[in-house]
Amino acid sequence: MAQPTFFKKPPAATLADIAALTKAQLVDPSRGSHVITGIASLDEAGPMHLAFFDNLKYVDELKATKAGACLVSPRFEAQVPPHVTVLRAAQPFRAFVGLAREWHADALRPQSWFGNDGIAPSAIIDPSARLEDDVIVEPLAVIGPEVEIGSGTVIGAGVVLGPGVKIGRDCNVGARSAIQCALIGNNVLIHPGCSIGQDGYGFIFFGPEGHLKVPQTGRVLIQNNVEVGAGTTIDRGSLRDTVIGEGTKIDNQVQIGHNVTIGRNCLLAAQIGLAGSLTIGDNVALGAKVGINNHLKIGDGAQVTAMSGVKDDIPPNGRWGGFFAKPTKQWFKEIIAVERLVRDSKADPKDEGRE
């Protein structure tokens, strides 16, 4: 059985065309007429595929590849096997991605899962909702009163939009997402299964009446060009708003608590947990499974290593990691010191026989 594919097949192109498109240098111009029909990883590529190489970790795959051509930097050019045509590029992966974006534009944002070009008959739309032209609403979506949706936006199957939600133009709301108390800008991509605008975790704990719930009356504000990964939850604010800054990219299964403010162009990897009332600056990068305590400030340009626990403010451009997180240079020194202590302890004959 032929292998299925879910995206359009790219057009065939000669290596000369690809060199022009990627601004790479075709090292052997005599191979310029060789035809490439797709892109692939080094280990899966065949003679009709273009691959890339920019990491010595995969040098064995490069040596064994059957790719027809490879984008590679001058530094690693000598590693490419003779049968593979070299396309010299200062940044091979960036050039490869540029070509992939050109050939697979349909994979950059979700399309209608059902081929709709309008409103599905099974969708439920309140009469007071306002939808601009060219909005697609998939089957079984529910759009509440006073909702506004801009042109070019796709509302996925089974999505529920609560009263008064505003969504801008050219957005995509993935299937089974639920959104309330939220204002969303333009070109925002929300993947399936997200929950946005629900109650934050606000209680007065262990009072005479039990855990007393605090009303959560704020909103979620998501600015332009944000991407929210599948299964992510973003709580609405309690008094002030929860804000996601322009251009920020959030991975799958991230929890963002109430009153959190995230700046512009931040990167949040999978399974991060952000407690309430955090302030995160612009251009911050947080690794997978980072947890950050409430009421902290993370400065512009800061980076936090994966699986770190943060309990203190981080200054601008800080590089922190560990549990609890601290500047990475200090963290590495402490790890080395502990390893040395363990090694010296094992070498001490007085320790022999001890459990």
Side-chain angles (χ1 to χ4, degrees):
M1 185 179 80
Q3 292 293 321
T5 180
F6 297 98
F7 299 99
K8 294 178 182 177
K9 185 177 179 180
T14 66
L15 285 175
D17 293 336
I18 291 172
L21 184 61
T22 60
K23 296 182 172 56
Q25 181 182 354
L26 183 60
V27 173
D28 183 356
S30 67
R31 300 189 184 185
S33 60
H34 181 78
V35 174
I36 295 295
T37 61
I39 55 178
S41 59
L42 288 166
D43 58 334
E44 294 187 346
M48 307 292 282
H49 289 127
L50 173 72
F52 77 95
F53 176 79
D54 67 352
N55 189 331
L56 281 174
K57 179 179 179 180
Y58 301 102
V59 69
D60 289 340
E61 292 182 9
L62 176 65
K63 292 177 179 178
T65 189
K66 298 178 181 178
C70 183
L71 285 157
V72 64
S73 68
R75 176 186 174 191
F76 299 130
E77 189 176 323
Q79 307 277 356
V80 180
H83 67 277
V84 179
T85 300
V86 172
L87 288 163
R88 184 186 296 145
Q91 296 179 294
F93 184 55
R94 184 174 290 272
F96 184 84
V97 170
L99 180 66
R101 288 174 61 89
E102 180 75 19
W103 282 359
H104 293 292
D106 57 326
L108 292 175
R109 60 174 290 167
Q111 308 297 308
S112 168
W113 287 10
F114 301 92
N116 286 3
D117 57 5
I119 298 171
S122 60
I124 299 173
I125 302 176
D126 189 272
S128 65
R130 295 170 53 192
L131 279 61
E132 291 186 343
D133 294 340
D134 301 320
V135 171
I136 294 174
V137 182
E138 301 277 48
L140 303 177
V142 179
I143 297 176
E146 307 298 334
V147 169
E148 297 180 11
I149 303 174
S151 64
T153 290
V154 179
I155 304 299
V159 166
V160 179
L161 302 180
V165 166
K166 306 292 189 290
I167 299 176
R169 295 172 177 167
D170 298 316
C171 297
N172 190 290
V173 181
R176 298 176 291 103
S177 293
I179 303 175
Q180 58 181 319
C181 303
L183 306 178
I184 297 172
N186 299 321
N187 194 36
V188 173
L189 175 53
I190 298 170
H191 287 275
C194 291
S195 296
I196 297 173
Q198 63 283 335
D199 274 9
Y201 191 64
F203 297 89
I204 297 176
F205 297 112
F206 300 110
E209 301 175 358
H211 304 313
L212 190 63
K213 189 175 182 67
V214 178
Q216 308 288 295
T217 57
R219 307 171 297 181
V220 173
L221 307 182
I222 299 179
Q223 297 177 359
N224 297 341
N225 303 315
V226 169
E227 184 160 344
V228 181
T232 286
T233 56
I234 305 175
D235 297 344
R236 69 175 182 263
S238 57
L239 294 176
R240 63 184 179 90
D241 296 326
T242 300
V243 181
I244 312 297
E246 183 175 4
T248 285
K249 311 301 182 186
I250 302 170
D251 201 355
N252 300 336
Q253 297 181 339
V254 171
Q255 158 62 17
I256 298 173
H258 60 195
N259 305 331
V260 168
T261 297
I262 298 175
R264 295 167 294 182
N265 299 313
C266 293
L267 299 173
L268 279 66
Q271 297 185 345
I272 285 170
L274 302 182
S277 301
L278 288 172
T279 300
I280 295 176
D282 298 338
N283 303 303
V284 171
L286 304 178
K289 293 189 176 182
V290 164
I292 304 182
N293 203 1
N294 55 9
H295 300 283
L296 297 183
K297 292 184 179 180
I298 311 299
D300 293 351
Q303 296 181 10
V304 182
T305 304
M307 302 179 70
S308 297
V310 181
K311 67 176 181 64
D312 301 300
D313 293 346
I314 297 178
N317 299 312
R319 302 292 184 267
W320 283 42
F323 196 92
F324 288 107
K326 58 194 67 176
T328 51
K329 289 184 179 179
Q330 177 185 346
W331 177 37
F332 291 159
K333 287 180 180 177
E334 292 176 359
I335 291 173
I336 292 170
V338 170
E339 289 176 346
R340 185 181 298 117
L341 284 172
V342 172
R343 185 170 60 250
D344 292 347
S345 171
K346 289 182 178 179
D348 188 345
K350 293 187 293 184
D351 286 343
E352 290 183 3
R354 294 182 184 179
E355 293 184 358

